[in-house]
Amino acid sequence: MIDLLCLPCAGASATMYMRWRRLVPSWLSLVPIELPGRGARSDEAFATDFDALVGQISREIMGGRHRQGARPYALFGHSMGGLLSYGVAQRLRLLGAPLPRYLFVSGSPAPSRRDAKRFTDKVGDEALIADLRAHGGTPEEVFENPELLRITLDTLAADYRVCASYSHRALPPLPVPVHACGGRDDDISVDDLLAWGDATSAGFSLEWFTGGHFFIRQHERSLLQGVAAQLARTNETRLVHDAV
């Protein structure tokens, strides 16, 4: 059994991954990670600093791994979740904690290609609503429901502060393979995704899907089939290595 820990995109909660649980094989346990300020953690304050949030997630993962024993795991993150997954993997490495078997990043520029200036004009409801519509991942029902829209905008504003606070530092490549996924119609460039190869010393692959930033909604099944295939190959390699 392998756990797939999934980190959400900006403005979202763990619920964005809930439906995936019925799309993965029985040996893969999908674990959506809830961030402070949303869902079951709505009574907590939003995080607004990248390093502080990475530290909190890392401590919670280490606590969860301790309770569950030495079961292997992988990290998956879409958009902001991809950057958080990278930050968590690096933090866990520095802490000497068990590392994920794999890092899966979706719709997320490589850490070295992040542009903090992208968030300088994303202030105020009007700008945030325009950005939500531009990315096309928000159901129309949210825009039509004042309460849901308020929650979404408050969450998005906090998450954009997290993204804007990220400052790239040249760290050693992770000894963890990285698989990146991108949408052909997204505004994230090929070079932004290929640069993920510099973040790993254990192998890099890139997969393209039709669609924009939220191509994962259109291609849930095929994306998860690819994730499972990568993890299965990694697990088989480890079994052979251990046998030798």
Side-chain angles (χ1 to χ4, degrees):
M1 180 69 76
I2 299 177
D3 292 335
L4 181 62
L5 312 184
C6 298
L7 286 154
C9 63
S13 71
T15 57
M16 72 175 285
Y17 296 118
M18 291 300 185
R19 59 182 281 120
W20 286 16
R21 284 179 164 165
R22 58 186 176 83
L23 299 177
V24 296
S26 59
W27 54 266
L28 183 57
S29 175
L30 195 133
V31 184
I33 293 181
E34 193 70 276
L35 301 182
R38 65 209 81 193
R41 304 181 67 170
S42 58
D43 58 335
E44 300 179 36
F46 287 115
T48 55
D49 179 78
F50 179 84
D51 288 333
L53 181 55
V54 161
Q56 182 176 1
I57 297 169
S58 300
R59 290 190 298 273
E60 292 171 357
I61 287 177
M62 289 173 66
R65 296 292 96 197
H66 177 73
R67 289 191 298 273
Q68 296 175 10
R71 197 155 82 184
Y73 71 101
L75 292 172
F76 178 95
H78 180 69
S79 198
M80 177 187 76
L83 182 64
L84 286 173
S85 296
Y86 167 79
V88 167
Q90 285 285 12
R91 183 68 59 89
L92 293 174
R93 180 183 62 81
L94 291 173
L95 292 172
L99 293 177
R101 290 277 179 91
Y102 231 107
L103 178 61
F104 297 95
V105 292
S106 165
S108 182
S112 61
R113 307 279 296 193
R114 302 289 299 195
D115 180 14
K117 294 180 181 178
R118 165 185 165 0
F119 305 99
T120 56
D121 61 345
K122 304 299 186 297
V123 180
D125 289 356
E126 186 175 341
L128 293 173
I129 290 172
D131 207 47
L132 286 173
R133 290 197 177 278
H135 281 104
T138 306
E140 193 61 33
E141 292 79 7
V142 172
F143 295 108
E144 296 172 352
N145 185 312
E147 184 177 357
L148 283 178
L149 183 59
R150 182 73 269 150
I151 292 171
T152 301
L153 294 178
D154 290 345
T155 304
L156 186 64
D159 289 348
Y160 277 1
R161 289 197 290 275
V162 168
C163 293
S165 72
Y166 174 74
S167 178
H168 183 64
R169 298 182 293 275
L171 297 172
L174 290 166
V176 174
V178 174
H179 182 72
C181 300
R184 295 190 183 279
D185 298 323
D186 197 358
D187 58 5
I188 299 174
S189 73
V190 175
D191 290 340
D192 288 347
L193 290 174
L194 287 174
W196 275 107
D198 299 329
T200 174
S201 61
F204 168 73
S205 52
L206 174 60
E207 185 176 8
W208 290 102
F209 294 85
T210 58
H213 190 62
F214 284 96
F215 63 90
I216 59 171
R217 301 251 173 95
Q218 304 164 248
H219 302 285
E220 290 177 330
R221 193 174 299 276
S222 57
L223 184 145
L224 289 171
Q225 286 173 346
V227 167
Q230 297 279 8
L231 288 174
R233 283 194 290 270
T234 300
N235 196 47
E236 288 170 2
T237 301
R238 281 180 174 263
L239 289 174
V240 170
H241 181 270
D242 292 344
V244 174

